[in-house]
Amino acid sequence: MDKSSEKEFLVKFGQNLRRLRKQKGYTQEELANELDIEISQISRIERGVINTSVSLVKSIVDCLQVKANELFD
Amino acid sequence: MDKSSEKEFLVKFGQNLRRLRKQKGYTQEELANELDIEISQISRIERGVINTSVSLVKSIVDCLQVKANELFD
């Protein structure tokens, strides 16, 4: 995946996370507390500026009770 | 996610990747070439020793034409 496609994907992934988080009624702060990470990390993932880890994706999927496809598609 | 759960997840994720890769008829070398990464990186993901990035997961999902759920469940 070249850099521009990666950027495009990370922005889309972040938008998916924001939509699902809101759908499930979590603020960034509440999700960050549940995952025991900084609010800024949630914010950066949602803005597509960091390429987060697969284990954090698993924690998010479990916490929000969504399917991984919903974040990746 | 505490360290032991993370380790358990990464090992499971790696096993899923190995199973799907073989199902789709790819060797580690062929998948590494398609993704333009080192064979050792595929090997380490499959053994659960590295916590890979979400963009690489997207490249794997697209290359193997599988659903993200199949790697995460």
Side-chain angles (χ1 to χ4, degrees):
Chain A
M1 184 183 284
D2 62 60
K3 276 299 169 197
S4 74
S5 314
E6 182 177 90
K7 179 68 182 170
E8 200 179 314
F9 164 69
L10 292 176
V11 167
K12 179 80 167 55
F13 184 91
Q15 289 167 346
N16 286 340
L17 173 56
R18 175 166 293 170
R19 175 175 44 79
L20 292 165
R21 172 177 60 76
K22 289 182 175 180
Q23 246 174 40
K24 298 289 183 169
Y26 282 84
T27 63
Q28 285 187 339
E29 184 172 9
E30 288 164 342
L31 182 57
N33 290 339
E34 285 284 331
L35 301 176
D36 196 20
I37 60 174
E38 297 296 321
I39 299 173
S40 59
Q41 193 172 348
I42 296 286
S43 167
R44 280 179 292 157
I45 296 170
E46 290 190 351
R47 286 182 287 120
V49 299
I50 53 172
N51 193 355
T52 194
S53 69
V54 67
S55 64
L56 185 56
V57 172
K58 173 65 172 171
S59 298
I60 291 170
V61 162
D62 291 347
C63 179
L64 295 181
Q65 297 187 325
V66 294
K67 282 292 190 186
N69 291 353
E70 296 179 78
L71 283 168
F72 280 86
D73 292 349
Chain B
M1 184 183 285
D2 62 62
K3 276 300 170 197
S4 74
S5 314
E6 180 177 277
K7 179 67 181 171
E8 200 180 312
F9 165 69
L10 291 176
V11 168
K12 179 81 166 55
F13 184 91
Q15 290 167 345
N16 287 339
L17 173 56
R18 175 165 291 168
R19 176 175 44 79
L20 292 165
R21 172 177 59 76
K22 288 181 174 179
Q23 245 175 43
K24 298 287 183 169
Y26 282 84
T27 64
Q28 284 188 339
E29 184 172 9
E30 287 164 343
L31 183 56
N33 289 340
E34 284 283 330
L35 300 176
D36 196 21
I37 60 174
E38 298 296 319
I39 299 174
S40 59
Q41 194 171 349
I42 296 284
S43 167
R44 281 178 293 158
I45 296 170
E46 291 189 353
R47 287 181 288 121
V49 298
I50 53 173
N51 193 355
T52 195
S53 70
V54 67
S55 64
L56 185 55
V57 171
K58 173 65 173 172
S59 298
I60 290 170
V61 161
D62 291 347
C63 179
L64 295 182
Q65 297 188 328
V66 294
K67 282 293 192 185
N69 291 353
E70 296 179 78
L71 284 167
F72 281 86
D73 291 348

